[in-house]
């Protein structure tokens, strides 16, 4: 059957028809996404509901199989929505599809009566997924629509008639949302999530009336994009991070997750099944949230968007030049906040559990896992989309952007930033290869931040950056090679020899930013003596601007270094900081690093 004819009516939906109708609905919401973003004021006015819903339905449409039973198509739709849903409304819609899939499991097709009952059950699942359901939202419109389906299916067995009349009820419920939610009435808009659901219904209804199956568009998976929350200048941001997680391989208690998630923040939505669950919550403590979630199953995917920093970029920027780095850069949080430095996180993986460096896992939690976890952690650079989209977003709000990254000899993130420059034709985005990492990278970024605060131009900053890179050195006191062996950086044989001889290496970086063995001792004390000599020699070569110290659960040793180096250099370190997980994964517990820069 190639067409759904108006004269004949539609008395059943099979997999082919459901796929075609869903794609028509997806297209409708994609076409309306800009308007949905514009009217987005609830639960937070961050102008992203249209983007999130469009991305969600596009992810689903790209995965729908052809020539399959209704139950299989709906099940695949639910799975794709759970994996690809974004934002509050996207996860709510994913839960709606999950409810449908449970009711239609194993069905080749559905009559109106069967579908109406499945829709009713699905709406119940949606209400159960939200910790504190609020009327005047997408929930209200979903319920009004499902009640109307029941009503009109009692007098007709034609999907065209039932869907058309139910759509009119949903439209009326949408228009009434400002009467139920004061924030909508104040803004003079309807609920954006509810409007998105009505868009889907409209696309489906119009297709069921006159759609031609041969005209159904083909969807590809949406490109990964960084979610950008755009608040108005008068908004307050009670919770900094918009977080989402997909938990698998567990037996998860929905009620427990919802109640516990509320203790971390608000906007809690839970979707999926006890075996595979997706959570959305706004929180100020994503690391603690994800640490708790790790106990419930494997963290297959996650996100934590910094809404506060995006708000500052849009409305409270301090300087005309944006400064960007990556999470391999070790700087105290107070410095990052003071200078509004944007940090792109690396990913740290413990088996199937993934974390965003310094965001969803803190150094303290990381080092607690390092020895306890059955597998050694691996690290991964950010996605190209994450890098490109952040730089593009910053460029729209700043005169220029300077992006300073870990040595290109140690990671590909520098190349990702360069690709982003090419994509944006290099307009105002300047990428710096620090040829350093961790504490020495931190000193370069810190000094550039001070130069930006002092009003230096982007041309001056570019020259200063080259100078700062050349003037900076790092010395790393490695306690043991066992972590490098576990991570594959050192062969087991060399690790065994070093252990037998009690060798303690000193690691540095050459002029190109490649790792080099700078020396070794047969004791930690010997290493400390050699590094102090290296620092003293560095100080004699020129006036020292500043230095800093980082460590991995070795604060006592770091403080001894600080005391001794203060005597040598005549000044205290700029800061003592714990090493980031992405760096500590390769160097291990007990390591201490000294970064130093000439004036």
């Amino acid at each position: 059957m190639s067409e759904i004819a108006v004269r004949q009516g539609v008395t059943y939906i099979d997999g082919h028809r459901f796929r075609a109708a869903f794609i028509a609905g997806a297209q409708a919401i994609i076409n309306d996404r800009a308007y949905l973003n514009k009217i987005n004021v609830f639960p937070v006015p961050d102008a992203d509901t249209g983007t999130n819903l469009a991305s969600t339905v596009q992810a689903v449409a790209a995965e729908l199989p052809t020539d399959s039973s209704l139950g299989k198509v709906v099940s695949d739709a639910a799975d794709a929505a759970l994996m690809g849903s974004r934002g509050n409304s996207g996860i709510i819609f994913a839960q709606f599809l999950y409810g449908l899939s449970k009711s239609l499991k194993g069905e080749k097709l559905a009559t109106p009566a069967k579908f109406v009952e499945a829709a009713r059950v699905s709406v119940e699942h949606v209400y159960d997924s939200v910790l504190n359901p609020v009327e005047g939202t997408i929930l209200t419109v979903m319920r009004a629509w499902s009640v109307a389906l029941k009503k009109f299916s009692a007098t007709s067995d034609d999907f065209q008639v039932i869907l058309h009349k139910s759509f009119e009820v949903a439209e009326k419920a949408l228009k009434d949302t400002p009467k139920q939610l004061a924030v909508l009435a104040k803004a003079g808009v309807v609920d954006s999530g509810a409007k998105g659901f009505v868009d889907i219904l409209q696309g489906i209804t119009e297709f069921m009336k006159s759609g031609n199956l041969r005209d159904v568009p083909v969807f590809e998976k949406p490109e990964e994009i960084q979610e950008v929350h755009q608040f108005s200048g008068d908004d307050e941001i009670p919770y900094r991070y918009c977080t989402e997680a997909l938990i698998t391989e567990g037996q998860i208690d929905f009620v427990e997750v919802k109640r516990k998630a509320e203790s971390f923040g608000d906007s809690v939505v839970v979707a999926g099944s006890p075996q595979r669950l997706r959570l959305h919550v706004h929180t100020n403590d994503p690391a603690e949230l994800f640490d708790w979630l790790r106990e419930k199953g494997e963290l297959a995917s996650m996100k934590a968007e910094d809404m506060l920093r995006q708000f500052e970029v849009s409305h409270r920027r301090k300087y005309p030049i944006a400064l960007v780095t990556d999470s391999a850069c070790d700087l105290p949080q107070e410095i990052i906040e003071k200078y509004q430095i944007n940090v792109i996180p690396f990913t740290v993986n413990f088996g199937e559990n993934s974390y965003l460096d310094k965001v969803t896992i803190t150094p303290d939690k990381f080092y607690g896992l390092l020895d306890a976890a059955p597998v050694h952690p691996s690290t991964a650079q950010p996605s190209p989309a994450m890098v490109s989209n952040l730089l593009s977003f910053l460029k729209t709000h700043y005169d220029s952007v300077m992006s300073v990254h870990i040595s290109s000899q140690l990671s590909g993130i520098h190349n990702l930033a360069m690709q982003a420059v090419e994509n944006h034709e290099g307009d105002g985005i300047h990428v710096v290869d620090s040829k350093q990492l961790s504490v020495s990278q931190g000193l370069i970024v810190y000094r550039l931040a001070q130069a930006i605060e002092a009003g230096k131009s982007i041309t001056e900053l570019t020259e200063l950056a080259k100078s700062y890179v050349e003037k900076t050195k790092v010395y790393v006191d490695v306690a043991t090679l066992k972590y490098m062996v576990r991570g594959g950086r050192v062969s087991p044989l060399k690790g065994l020899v070093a252990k037998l001889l009690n060798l303690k290496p000193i690691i540095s970086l050459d002029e190109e930013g490649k790792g080099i063995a700078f020396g070794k001792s047969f004791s930690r004390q010997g290493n400390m003596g050699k590094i102090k000599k290296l620092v003293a020699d560095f100080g004699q070569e020129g006036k020292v601007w500043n230095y800093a110290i980082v460590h991995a659960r070795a604060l006592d040793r770091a403080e001894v270094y600080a005391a001794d180096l203060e005597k040598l250099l005549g000044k205290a370190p700029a800061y003592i900081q714990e090493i980031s997980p992405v760096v500590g994964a390769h160097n291990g517990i007990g390591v201490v690093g000294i970064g130093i820069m000439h004036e």
Side-chain angles (χ1 to χ4, degrees), residues 403-420:
S403 198
V404 185
H405 296 291
I406 182 176
S407 170
S408 61
Q409 300 296 319
L410 303 176
S411 170
I413 189 173
H414 173 266
N415 291 333
L416 293 181
M418 292 298 294
Q419 290 172 18

Side-chain angles (χ1 to χ4, degrees), residues 68-231:
S68 294
S69 68
L70 176 63
K72 178 67 166 60
V73 174
V74 177
S75 177
D76 285 2
D79 288 343
L82 196 62
M83 296 294 293
S85 60
R86 291 183 47 181
N88 193 294
S89 295
I91 295 180
I92 286 175
F93 187 65
Q95 186 67 349
F96 173 77
L97 290 175
Y98 172 71
L100 276 183
S101 70
K102 289 193 70 175
S103 296
L104 299 175
K105 182 178 181 180
E107 300 288 346
K108 292 184 178 180
L109 53 83
T111 61
K114 181 66 178 178
F115 182 83
V116 166
E117 177 59 17
R120 183 193 66 79
V121 172
S122 297
V123 172
E124 288 183 359
H125 276 287
V126 169
Y127 269 84
D128 287 342
S129 72
V130 180
L131 182 64
N132 297 305
V134 177
E135 297 302 333
T137 64
I138 186 174
L139 303 177
T140 304
V141 173
M142 281 183 168
R143 174 169 282 173
W145 174 70
S146 69
V147 171
L149 284 177
K150 180 72 172 178
K151 174 183 176 181
F152 297 121
S153 66
T155 58
S156 176
D157 61 357
D158 185 347
F159 268 110
Q160 293 175 344
V161 174
I162 297 168
L163 289 175
H164 177 72
K165 291 184 177 180
S166 300
F167 168 69
E168 292 179 337
V169 172
E171 275 193 312
K172 175 63 167 57
L174 173 65
K175 292 177 182 178
D176 289 342
T177 55
K179 298 177 183 178
Q180 298 169 285
L181 204 53
V183 66
L184 301 178
K186 181 179 179 181
V189 297
V190 296
D191 180 70
S192 57
K195 176 64 166 66
F197 185 69
V198 169
D199 285 341
I200 295 173
L201 296 181
Q202 183 174 13
I204 291 173
T205 301
E206 291 179 352
F207 178 79
M208 292 295 283
K209 181 179 179 181
S210 59
N212 187 324
L213 297 183
R214 290 173 298 188
D215 296 332
V216 175
V218 176
F219 276 85
E220 297 181 355
K221 289 184 179 180
E223 293 184 3
E224 180 187 353
I225 61 174
Q226 181 191 27
E227 188 171 337
V228 175
H229 305 260
Q230 299 180 1
F231 298 87

Side-chain angles (χ1 to χ4, degrees), residues 213-467:
L213 297 183
R214 290 173 298 188
D215 296 332
V216 175
V218 176
F219 276 85
E220 297 181 355
K221 289 184 179 180
E223 293 184 3
E224 180 187 353
I225 61 174
Q226 181 191 27
E227 188 171 337
V228 175
H229 305 260
Q230 299 180 1
F231 298 87
S232 74
D234 297 327
D235 292 319
E236 293 298 326
I237 316 298
Y239 294 103
R240 179 166 188 162
Y241 293 95
C242 177
T243 63
E244 292 179 13
L246 179 66
I247 307 116
T248 62
E249 304 298 328
Q251 287 294 323
I252 308 159
D253 186 328
F254 261 59
V255 176
E256 179 192 9
V257 170
K258 284 194 296 183
R259 288 177 178 171
K260 182 67 175 180
E262 187 181 31
S263 70
F264 289 98
D266 66 7
S267 298
V268 176
V269 183
V270 182
S273 68
Q275 294 75 39
R276 188 165 58 169
L277 177 147
R278 195 170 190 95
L279 171 69
H280 172 280
V281 60
H282 292 170
T283 181
N284 286 325
D285 199 350
E288 286 296 322
L289 170 66
F290 280 82
D291 187 54
W292 177 76
L293 289 174
R294 187 177 62 86
E295 301 173 3
K296 304 303 172 185
E298 293 180 352
L299 297 177
S301 70
M302 62 184 171
K303 77 159 196 179
E305 303 289 350
D306 189 342
M307 297 187 293
L308 178 60
R309 182 50 43 83
Q310 292 174 358
F311 170 71
E312 290 175 342
V313 167
S314 300
H315 302 287
R316 295 180 184 172
R317 73 175 199 182
K318 291 183 177 180
Y319 317 111
I321 299 173
L323 185 57
V324 182
T325 189
D326 53 66
S327 64
C329 173
D330 283 322
L331 273 173
Q333 191 62 30
E334 55 266 27
I335 292 177
I336 292 172
E337 298 299 334
K338 177 181 178 180
Y339 296 102
Q340 294 183 335
I341 300 170
N342 298 271
V343 181
I344 303 174
F346 284 90
T347 298
V348 178
N349 303 301
F350 277 98
E352 296 299 321
N353 290 317
S354 298
Y355 300 90
L356 295 175
D357 188 31
K358 296 181 182 176
V359 179
T360 63
I361 189 168
T362 62
D364 184 57
K365 293 293 183 183
F366 170 79
Y367 292 114
L369 286 171
L370 187 56
D371 278 336
V375 295
H376 190 74
S378 62
T379 60
Q381 65 191 30
S383 69
M386 179 183 289
V387 177
S388 178
N389 287 320
L390 175 62
L391 295 180
S392 176
F393 169 65
L394 292 173
K395 184 59 188 71
T396 63
H397 294 281
Y398 288 84
D399 296 346
S400 303
V401 179
M402 176 159 279
S403 198
V404 185
H405 296 291
I406 182 176
S407 170
S408 61
Q409 300 296 319
L410 303 176
S411 170
I413 189 173
H414 173 266
N415 291 333
L416 293 181
M418 292 298 294
Q419 290 172 18
V421 170
E422 294 176 4
N423 293 339
H424 300 294
E425 300 180 352
D427 184 18
I429 303 174
H430 303 261
V431 181
V432 176
D433 183 350
S434 75
K435 300 182 180 180
Q436 299 291 334
L437 83 162
S438 183
V439 62
S440 50
Q441 180 184 348
L443 287 177
I444 294 170
V445 173
Y446 186 19
R447 197 166 183 186
L448 285 170
Q450 292 181 342
I452 291 173
E453 183 184 43
K456 299 295 184 181
S457 69
I458 189 64
T459 302
E460 292 173 309
L461 284 170
T462 301
E463 293 303 314
L464 286 172
K466 294 178 183 177
S467 173

